[in-house]
């Protein structure tokens, strides 16, 4: 994550259209959308609005212009990112060569006297769109493609009284009140100093006005379009800039119509409207969200539905970051409440791109009351878009997996060619960003079908229908795919059955709580045991508590009268229940016990099962009403008897498939070497992933070139070594021509130092600084080692407590003696969970961003190699869920490391040493040069590496941090 926007790959491609008049590079068949619309042509999403929460949607791009019913597609555009807000100032008139002009700052504008409208109070206001000031760090910094990046464009605005005739001319679905005062604005698009050749524009939702810039060539396609919103009681002009491609791409997938102006090139629900809700600033890495952007966007969507009279809304948010505690962040808490407060909407999010490791669901995908979507690719798209020979649907490697939570809920196609703005060269992306709008399109189809067939439904009913109407893909666990691939016809059948049993007057959802080893309080929505192979056995059983959830506005009597009986069914032979039936009454909860059959849970690996609760003797009883996952990890263990090693021979993986191996760190382990090797005479074609006990990717290797057939090595270094269960995932590359074969070996090294950190050296007159430490080999074999090390630079560690804004700024200097620097950020779960994004930029002295990225988890390392010595500025910007967090201390640890251009190498009394088992091995060293004095407050740092001469791998790293 870093996210941030859940997109991983962009491809240039040439399009070949065909295949039953559909778009072969944007799948609308695998979920059944194409067939459902063929049978029900009035149920293509029409009458439903899809809110695209993203970095904006370009309304000028073919595919985004109209719906299947020839109505405007993008019916509102709002920007909550604060990327560009102009504070309008009153303009003054001056006379220039007998011509009266308006002064927009230092820009002279003529033609105000020839405009169609006049201000009711004779006051004109201005703003200036400045390429250098506003777009220096944007993906599009030359708005008019004239080769310059310092142009300025004047905007003139004033208020007029809205008359009936003006309202009749407006083409938006929302109209201003007759007699109200509203802003009209003119933009000097051609930068000719006159506005009498420009057209009047209004707040976007009233007249769907947008503007663009060009260099004078009318035949030249503008790269970027903008729209504006002006509240009648404010002098702020919010400019919505479509300088990101992600939102437009997602919009095309969800409901594009005739993308590339080609018949049949449609998204999933071509009849649906789009409201673009910009939550990400394209001045930040990945279009990162800013404080309260998400919250304001969700709340605005409800207001728009009321104002426009549209009944149903679908929120599609392909945004998020890595999660430390899925389901417990501030934005997830907000979305859970939001979903239960508004029954006419459904919230759908991407599950994240941090797979294929377990426990990698992103934030806010872990929220219980929303639908989170993982990514798969159908066979046709695999072949046509990516050249894969795989002949079964593929759950993509990048798609985040569950484990600690019951996420993702479902999967949907996660790769497509779709609509993009003019500045974007590639039009094929993949990621769970693409699967989210697929699911949103499916939701729009079902909402429109509910309208068409007079089915009363709610967002919670629709979430349940999409989830439990899905069909599982063979070969994948619940952690990979949730229930399975969305199936629109199944979901519609379930929606119809729920309407028959009047589900809209009953429970909205369910809360599940059971024992879970992942969370600090050992409670979660799924049973999860990743605890050294432990799980409840024998006479133990694990209690699952279930409570119905209701919409806030449902009458108390209706809640009290809720009653339902459920049949409990397990899908795994090792997972049983102590009851076959339970009931829930009113707001009271119920419970049952899960029983794990230890005789069937013996071999190392992943055990993933599901208990599903089916409503008894009610319509739709073949579909589950709620479910709970049970996930158990049995690791390989290491000890002196197996010499802290593991060897597995001749493993086979089919094209695109993965295997999971779980290894538990033995006490005292310092490093580990993981090797995947080719099998003689067999295809290798392998990728490999390493995940740490927290579910964070800690290494990736690839060897897909058959002529090389080199080993893949993944190292757990001493700095990264933590006790717990690590996950190794070999993956046959999805573009391999054949199945893959490999051997796997794991070797732990058991070295311990008597000084975890060397903080002092001896300084004897006439000698270089020197030191020593002892290493104990806790393993069972002799290690022939080589020693090397250096004093690398100076560093400082500080706890930051920042209050008053969401942006922390710090300047730093790079001298000629420094080659590079590193910033290490670490924060608590509580602090991290307050944000929807944490982005950072490093700026040079001119204010140009030269490094831009963000934190995908609660800690991150930022490496910076300066092109030249000078003063730089690093900024961290938190997109807080709630603005109130700006007034609370934002606490994190910040480590700065500055590396010398020439390191100070260390020399050793015995550079080649035999590290004997069970004994102390003394290592003495000294520097080759005097140590530079670190700046005040800084410490000098370095390290010493011990390499195993057998394979030249680093088996231990001794940290030096001098006071």
């Amino acid at each position: 994550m870093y996210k941030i926007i859940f997109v991983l790959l962009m491809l240039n491609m040439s399009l070949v259209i065909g295949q039953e008049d559909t778009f072969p590079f944007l799948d609308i068949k695998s979920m059944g959308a194409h067939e459902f619309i063929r049978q029900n042509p009035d149920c293509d999403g029409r009458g439903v609005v899809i809110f695209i929460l993203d970095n904006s949607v370009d309304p000028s791009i073919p595919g985004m212009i109209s719906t299947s019913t020839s109505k405007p597609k993008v019916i509102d555009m709002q920007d909550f990112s604060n990327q560009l807000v102009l504070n309008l100032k009153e303009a003054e008139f001056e006379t220039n060569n007998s011509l009266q002009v308006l002064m927009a700052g230092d820009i002279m504008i003529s033609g105000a006297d020839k405009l169609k409208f006049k201000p009711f109070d004779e006051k004109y206001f201005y703003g200036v769109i400045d390429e250098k000031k506003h777009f220096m760090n944007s993906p599009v910094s030359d708005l008019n493609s004239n080769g310059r990046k310092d142009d300025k464009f004047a905007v003139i605005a004033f208020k007029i009284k809205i008359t009936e005739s003006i309202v009749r001319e407006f083409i938006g679905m929302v109209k201003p009140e007759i007699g109200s005062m509203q802003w009209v604005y003119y933009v000097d698009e051609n930068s000719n100093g006159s506005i009498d050749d420009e057209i009047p524009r209004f707040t976007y939702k009233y007249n769907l006005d947008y503007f663009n810039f060009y260099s004078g060539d009318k035949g030249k396609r503008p790269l970027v379009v903008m729209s504006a919103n002006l509240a009648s009681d404010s002098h702020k002009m919010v400019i919505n800039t479509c300088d990101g491609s992600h939102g437009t791409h997602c919009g095309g997938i969800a409901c594009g119509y005739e993308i590339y102006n080609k018949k049949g090139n449609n998204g999933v629900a071509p009849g649906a409207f789009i409201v673009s809700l910009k939550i990400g600033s394209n001045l930040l890495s990945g279009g990162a969200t800013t404080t309260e952007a998400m919250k304001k966007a969700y709340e605005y969507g409800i207001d728009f539905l009321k104002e426009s009279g549209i009944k149903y809304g679908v929120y599609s948010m392909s945004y998020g970051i890595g999660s430390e505690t899925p389901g417990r962040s501030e934005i997830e808490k907000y979305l859970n409440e939001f979903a239960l407060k508004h029954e006419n909407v459904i919230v759908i999010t991407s599950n994240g791109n941090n797979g294929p490791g377990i426990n990698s669901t992103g934030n806010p995908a872990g929220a219980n009351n929303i639908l989170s979507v993982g990514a798969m690719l159908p066979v046709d798209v695999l072949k046509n878009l990516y050249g894969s020979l795989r002949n079964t649907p593929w759950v993509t490697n990048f798609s985040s997996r569950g484990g600690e939570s019951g996420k993702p809920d479902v999967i949907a196609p996660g790769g497509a060619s779709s609509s993009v703005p003019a500045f974007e060269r590639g039009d094929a992306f993949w990621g769970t960003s693409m699967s989210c709008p697929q699911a949103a399109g499916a939701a729009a189809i079902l909402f429109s079908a509910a309208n068409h067939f007079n089915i009363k439904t709610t967002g919670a009913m629709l979430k349940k229908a999409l989830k439990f109407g899905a069909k599982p893909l063979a070969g994948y666990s619940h952690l990979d795919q949730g229930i399975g691939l969305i199936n629109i016809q199944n979901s519609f059948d379930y929606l119809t059955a729920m309407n028959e049993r009047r589900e809209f007057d009953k429970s909205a959802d369910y809360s599940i709580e059971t024992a879970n080893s992942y969370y600090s309080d050992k409670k979660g929505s799924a049973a999860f045991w990743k605890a050294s192979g432990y799980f409840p056995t024998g006479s133990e059983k694990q209690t699952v508590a279930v409570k119905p959830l209701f919409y806030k506005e449902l009458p108390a009597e209706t809640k009290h009268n809720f009653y339902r009986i459920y049949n409990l069914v397990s899908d795994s032979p090792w997972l049983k229940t102590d009851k076959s039936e339970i009931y829930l009454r009113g707001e009271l909860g119920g419970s049952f016990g899960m029983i794990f059959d230890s005789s069937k849970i013996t071999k190392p690996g992943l055990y993933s099962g599901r208990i599903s609760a089916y409503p008894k003797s009610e319509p739709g009883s073949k579909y589950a009403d709620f479910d709970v996952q049970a996930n158990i990890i049995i690791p390989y263990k290491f000890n002196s008897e197996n010499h802290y090693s593991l060897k597995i021979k001749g493993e086979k993986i089919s094209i695109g498939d993965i295997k999971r191996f779980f290894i538990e760190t033995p006490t005292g382990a310092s490093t580990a070497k993981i090797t995947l090797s080719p099998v003689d005479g067999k295809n290798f074609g392998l990728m490999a992933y390493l995940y740490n006990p927290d579910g964070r990717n800690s290494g990736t290797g690839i060897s897909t070139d058959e002529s090389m057939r080199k080993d893949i090595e993944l190292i757990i270094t001493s700095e990264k070594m933590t006790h717990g269960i690590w996950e190794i995932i070999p993956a046959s590359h999805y573009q391999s021509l054949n199945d893959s074969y490999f051997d796997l070996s794991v070797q732990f090294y058991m070295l311990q130092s008597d000084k975890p950190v060397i903080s002092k050296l001896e300084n004897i007159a006439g000698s270089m600084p020197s030191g020593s430490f002892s290493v104990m080999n806790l393993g069972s074999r002799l290690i022939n080692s080589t020693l090397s090390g250096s004093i690398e630079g100076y560093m400082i560690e500080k706890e930051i407590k920042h209050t008053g804004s969401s942006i922390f700024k710090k300047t730093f200097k790079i001298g000629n003696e420094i080659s590079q620097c590193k910033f290490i950020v670490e924060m608590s779960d509580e602090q991290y969970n307050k944000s929807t994004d944490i982005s950072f930029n490093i700026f040079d002295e001119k204010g140009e961003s030269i490094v831009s990225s963000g934190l995908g988890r609660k800690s991150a390392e930022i490496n910076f190699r300066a092109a030249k010595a000078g003063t730089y500025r690093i900024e961290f910007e938190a997109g807080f869920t709630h603005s109130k967090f700006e007034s609370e201390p934002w606490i994190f640890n910040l480590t700065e490391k500055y590396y010398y251009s020439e390191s100070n190498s260390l020399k050793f009394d015995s550079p080649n040493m035999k590290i004997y088992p069970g004994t102390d091995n003394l290592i003495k060293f000294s520097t080759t040069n005097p140590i530079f004095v670190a700046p005040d407050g800084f410490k000098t740092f370095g390290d010493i590496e011990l390499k195993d001469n057998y394979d030249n791998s680093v088996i231990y790293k001794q940290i030096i941090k001098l006071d």
Side-chain angles (χ1 to χ4, degrees):
M1 132 152 20
Y2 177 63
K3 101 183 144 273
I4 142 172
I5 303 175
F6 290 135
V7 167
L8 301 181
L9 182 66
M10 184 186 304
L11 301 173
N12 287 303
M13 53 171 288
S14 123
L15 300 177
V16 181
I17 308 301
Q19 295 192 3
E20 299 180 18
D21 206 30
T22 65
F23 195 18
F25 309 111
L26 195 169
D27 178 78
I28 60 172
K29 292 182 178 179
S30 61
M31 298 190 306
H34 179 65
E35 179 61 21
F36 190 87
I37 293 173
R38 188 186 68 80
Q39 295 184 20
N40 307 280
D42 292 330
C43 304
D44 63 351
R46 62 190 63 181
V48 178
V49 61
I50 299 178
F51 298 105
I52 303 291
L53 285 76
D54 214 288
N55 63 358
S56 195
V57 175
D58 188 335
S60 71
I61 299 300
M64 295 290 97
I65 295 173
S66 69
T67 69
S68 60
T69 57
S70 300
K71 295 180 179 179
K73 172 68 70 177
V74 183
I75 56 175
D76 196 5
M77 301 183 72
Q78 296 289 330
D79 188 342
F80 303 101
S81 73
N82 294 317
Q83 179 175 332
L84 178 52
V85 180
L86 299 181
N87 293 306
L88 299 178
K89 301 177 181 179
E90 189 169 353
E92 296 181 356
F93 281 95
E94 290 187 5
T95 301
N96 182 49
N97 295 328
S98 72
L99 180 67
Q100 194 175 42
V101 296
L102 277 173
M103 294 304 299
D106 58 358
I107 303 175
M108 290 188 298
I109 297 294
S110 65
D113 56 326
K114 300 177 183 177
L115 298 179
K116 175 181 178 180
F117 298 106
K118 303 294 181 186
F120 83 98
D121 56 1
E122 300 183 354
K123 291 183 179 181
Y124 293 83
F125 295 83
Y126 77 91
V128 177
I129 298 173
D130 186 334
E131 284 184 336
K132 186 175 181 180
K133 178 181 178 181
H134 298 132
F135 292 92
M136 176 189 295
N137 299 309
S138 165
V140 183
S141 53
D142 181 7
L143 300 180
N144 55 359
S145 305
N146 67 348
R148 295 176 52 185
K149 298 182 180 180
D150 59 357
D151 292 309
K152 296 180 180 181
F153 306 93
V155 179
I156 301 299
F158 50 85
K159 287 185 179 181
I160 64 171
K161 187 174 183 179
I162 298 298
T163 64
E164 185 177 352
S165 61
I166 294 174
V167 170
R168 281 200 301 267
E169 293 181 4
F170 283 162
I171 62 174
M173 293 188 66
V174 176
K175 314 291 186 185
E177 185 178 346
I178 295 173
S180 65
M181 296 296 174
Q182 300 292 336
W183 289 94
V184 60
Y185 69 94
Y186 295 79
V187 183
D188 187 14
E189 296 179 43
N190 54 16
S191 199
N192 66 352
S194 176
I195 55 171
D196 59 352
D197 57 348
E198 306 293 353
I199 64 173
R201 291 185 171 86
F202 295 84
T203 287
Y204 184 88
K205 64 184 176 183
Y206 297 146
N207 200 38
L208 311 188
D209 290 318
Y210 58 83
F211 57 94
N212 54 61
F213 303 99
Y214 51 87
S215 59
D217 183 357
K218 292 281 188 180
K220 195 171 186 178
R221 188 182 184 190
L223 293 183
V224 63
V225 303
M226 302 179 182
S227 62
N229 294 297
L230 299 96
S232 59
D233 58 351
S234 171
H235 285 75
K236 292 184 181 295
M237 185 177 191
V238 181
I239 305 290
N240 185 96
T241 311
C242 303
D243 55 346
S245 58
H246 189 262
T248 305
H249 195 272
C250 291
I253 292 172
C255 58
Y257 178 65
E258 296 189 352
I259 300 170
Y260 305 119
N261 286 320
K262 181 71 176 179
K263 184 178 180 181
N265 283 18
N266 298 335
V268 178
F273 298 116
I274 282 178
V275 168
S276 171
L277 302 177
K278 183 171 180 173
I279 57 174
S281 168
N282 293 311
L283 303 182
L284 303 174
S285 176
T289 53
T290 53
T291 293
E292 284 203 339
M294 280 191 186
K295 179 181 175 182
K296 289 177 180 177
Y298 279 101
E299 292 171 353
Y300 180 84
I302 298 301
D303 292 338
F304 180 84
L305 291 175
K306 293 176 182 176
E307 197 173 18
S308 65
I310 296 176
K311 186 176 182 180
Y312 292 122
V314 179
Y315 288 89
S316 178
M317 189 170 74
S318 296
Y319 255 56
I321 53 178
S323 177
E324 301 293 344
T325 54
R328 300 190 179 186
S329 72
E330 293 297 326
I331 186 61
E332 287 169 326
K333 294 175 186 176
Y334 170 81
L335 288 177
N336 279 333
E337 293 181 2
F338 180 87
L340 289 180
K341 187 177 180 181
H342 305 289
E343 64 178 29
N344 60 328
V345 299
I346 183 173
V347 177
I348 302 175
T349 69
S350 48
N351 200 55
N353 292 339
N354 291 323
I358 68 171
N359 299 355
S360 54
T361 287
N363 175 29
N368 178 71
N369 302 337
I370 68 173
L371 188 81
S372 68
V373 191
M376 57 77 68
L377 287 176
V379 173
D380 286 351
V381 173
L382 275 168
K383 180 179 180 180
N384 294 327
L385 205 53
Y386 301 107
S388 174
L389 298 184
R390 182 182 170 93
N391 57 14
T392 57
W394 181 49
V395 175
T396 64
N397 287 351
F398 59 75
S399 186
S400 288
R401 267 59 170 188
E404 76 288 74
S405 65
K407 298 289 183 171
D409 294 300
V410 291
I411 52 174
S417 167
S418 183
S419 49
V420 291
F423 67 83
E424 185 63 80
R425 294 184 179 181
D427 59 8
F429 304 163
W430 71 357
T432 55
S433 280
M434 285 60 251
S435 55
C436 174
Q438 281 268 351
I445 287 174
L446 292 169
F447 265 148
S448 68
N451 269 334
H452 181 74
F453 292 104
N454 295 315
I455 296 172
K456 189 173 181 180
T457 190
T458 65
M461 291 169 63
L462 185 51
K463 178 208 164 190
K464 193 183 298 184
L466 286 166
K467 178 177 178 178
F468 294 113
K471 289 190 172 182
L473 297 183
Y476 289 103
S477 72
H478 304 307
L479 281 70
D480 299 310
Q481 63 176 326
I483 298 295
L485 176 63
I486 289 174
N487 184 288
I488 292 175
Q489 184 61 58
N490 268 6
S491 297
F492 178 71
D493 293 342
Y494 189 21
L495 204 62
T496 303
M498 284 190 284
N499 175 71
E500 186 179 345
R501 70 185 192 215
R502 298 183 62 82
E503 196 76 354
F504 46 83
D505 279 338
K506 297 179 181 176
S507 69
D509 214 324
Y510 299 85
S511 71
I512 308 290
E513 185 175 278
T514 189
N516 185 303
S517 67
Y518 183 85
Y519 297 96
S520 59
D521 61 3
K522 300 299 181 279
K523 297 176 182 178
S525 60
F528 181 68
W529 294 105
K530 188 182 178 186
S532 192
Y534 168 82
F535 57 91
T537 59
S539 61
E540 295 180 277
K541 61 182 179 181
Q542 180 166 335
T543 300
V544 179
V546 186
K547 289 186 70 174
L549 301 174
F550 301 93
Y551 280 114
K552 302 293 185 184
E553 301 302 320
L554 205 62
E557 184 179 1
T558 304
K559 297 177 186 178
H560 178 75
N561 291 335
F562 174 76
Y563 183 85
R564 183 165 292 162
I565 300 173
Y566 307 85
N567 291 317
L568 300 178
V569 179
S570 169
D571 66 356
S572 302
W574 55 268
L575 178 62
K576 302 175 183 178
T577 58
D578 63 349
K579 302 174 182 178
S580 58
E581 296 181 1
I582 65 167
Y583 71 90
L584 299 178
R585 180 176 64 83
E587 296 182 80
L588 300 175
S591 66
F592 62 91
M594 286 192 296
I595 301 170
F596 306 122
D597 186 345
S598 59
S599 68
K600 296 181 172 64
I601 306 174
T602 56
K603 295 181 179 180
L606 166 66
Y607 295 81
S608 182
R610 185 190 302 274
I611 303 293
S612 298
Y614 296 87
K616 185 177 180 180
S617 304
E618 295 205 39
S621 59
K622 71 175 183 177
Y623 299 100
D625 226 27
F626 66 85
D627 70 304
V628 59
Q629 276 190 36
N631 303 305
I632 297 173
I633 308 298
I634 305 297
Y636 287 95
K637 291 179 176 288
F638 298 80
N639 50 48
S640 59
E641 293 182 2
N642 59 25
H643 302 288
Y644 300 98
S645 64
L646 171 70
K647 293 185 183 297
I648 298 175
K649 295 279 191 179
E651 290 289 305
K652 174 187 174 182
I653 314 182
S654 299
I655 296 173
D657 282 347
I658 66 173
K659 286 195 172 183
R660 301 182 187 275
F661 298 89
F662 297 94
I663 59 174
E664 183 175 15
T665 311
T667 301
S670 55
T671 54
K673 181 181 178 182
I674 300 154
T675 307
L676 294 104
S677 305
V679 175
D680 289 344
K682 300 287 188 179
N683 176 58
F684 196 35
L686 209 66
M687 299 178 67
Y689 306 85
L690 175 66
Y691 282 79
N692 73 9
D694 292 328
R696 177 180 291 208
N697 191 323
S698 297
T700 303
I702 183 169
S703 183
T704 56
D705 187 338
E706 275 300 293
S707 63
M708 294 176 65
R709 295 178 59 80
K710 61 179 182 180
D711 290 353
I712 296 175
E713 293 185 356
L714 301 171
I715 306 296
I716 306 175
T717 63
S718 54
E719 307 102 300
K720 304 295 184 183
M721 179 65 71
T722 56
H723 184 74
I725 297 174
W726 294 67
E727 184 179 12
I728 305 165
I729 307 177
S732 177
H733 199 268
Y734 71 100
Q735 290 178 321
S736 288
L737 301 180
N738 301 287
D739 298 339
S740 298
Y741 295 80
F742 66 93
D743 295 334
L744 170 67
S745 67
V746 179
Q747 179 65 62
F748 279 97
Y749 294 89
M750 314 296 291
L751 303 181
Q752 283 189 353
S753 171
D754 64 338
K755 298 175 183 176
V757 177
I758 295 175
S759 58
K760 291 182 180 180
L761 298 181
E762 292 186 7
N763 289 281
I764 301 174
S767 301
M768 291 298 171
S770 62
S772 66
F773 64 101
S774 291
V775 170
M776 172 72 77
N777 181 359
L778 302 178
S780 57
R781 72 179 183 89
L782 169 68
I783 300 173
N784 290 303
S785 70
T786 299
L787 302 171
S788 63
S790 64
I791 301 298
E792 297 182 84
Y794 52 84
M795 62 181 290
I796 189 170
E797 300 169 291
K798 283 186 176 181
E799 182 183 70
I800 305 297
K801 291 186 177 181
H802 182 67
T803 307
S805 77
S806 58
I807 303 176
F808 170 77
K809 303 178 182 181
K810 177 180 175 54
T811 58
F812 61 98
K813 291 184 178 180
I814 299 291
N816 291 321
E817 80 282 5
I818 298 299
S819 63
Q820 63 177 321
C821 63
K822 178 186 291 186
F823 297 91
I824 303 171
V825 182
E826 299 172 291
M827 64 186 68
S828 67
D829 290 349
E830 179 186 6
Q831 291 291 325
Y832 180 75
N833 282 342
K834 292 180 179 181
S835 302
T836 56
D837 262 311
I838 302 174
S839 62
F840 65 82
N841 282 272
I842 295 178
F843 299 96
D844 62 15
E845 293 173 340
K846 296 179 181 179
E848 184 174 350
S849 175
I850 50 180
V851 176
S852 179
S853 191
L855 276 67
R857 299 290 290 267
K858 65 180 180 182
S859 62
E861 293 186 359
I862 304 157
N863 294 299
F864 173 56
R865 187 178 292 273
K868 61 180 181 179
T871 300
Y872 298 86
R873 183 178 82 256
I874 187 167
E875 292 187 4
F876 295 93
E877 180 164 355
F880 289 125
T881 300
H882 306 289
S883 60
K884 67 179 182 180
F885 294 141
E886 292 181 336
S887 60
E888 300 176 3
W890 179 20
I891 303 172
F892 58 93
N893 293 320
L894 178 63
T895 300
E896 303 171 48
K897 285 188 168 183
Y898 297 87
Y899 293 81
Y900 296 134
S901 300
E902 296 183 5
S903 64
N904 189 344
S905 298
L906 302 179
K907 60 182 180 180
F908 300 86
D909 288 4
S910 300
N912 296 295
M913 289 191 65
K914 293 182 183 296
I915 310 295
Y916 292 98
T919 62
D920 282 327
N921 299 269
L922 181 63
I923 298 172
K924 296 182 178 181
F925 65 93
S926 62
T927 65
T928 54
N929 294 293
I931 297 176
F932 290 120
V933 177
D936 288 345
F938 286 76
K939 295 182 178 182
T940 299
F941 74 93
D943 61 44
I944 296 170
E945 292 183 346
L946 281 73
K947 289 186 177 180
D948 187 343
N949 293 340
Y950 176 74
D951 55 14
N952 206 37
S953 59
V954 176
I955 58 174
Y956 186 75
K957 185 174 286 189
Q958 174 67 52
I959 303 300
I960 301 172
K961 194 184 298 182
L962 304 179
D963 293 332

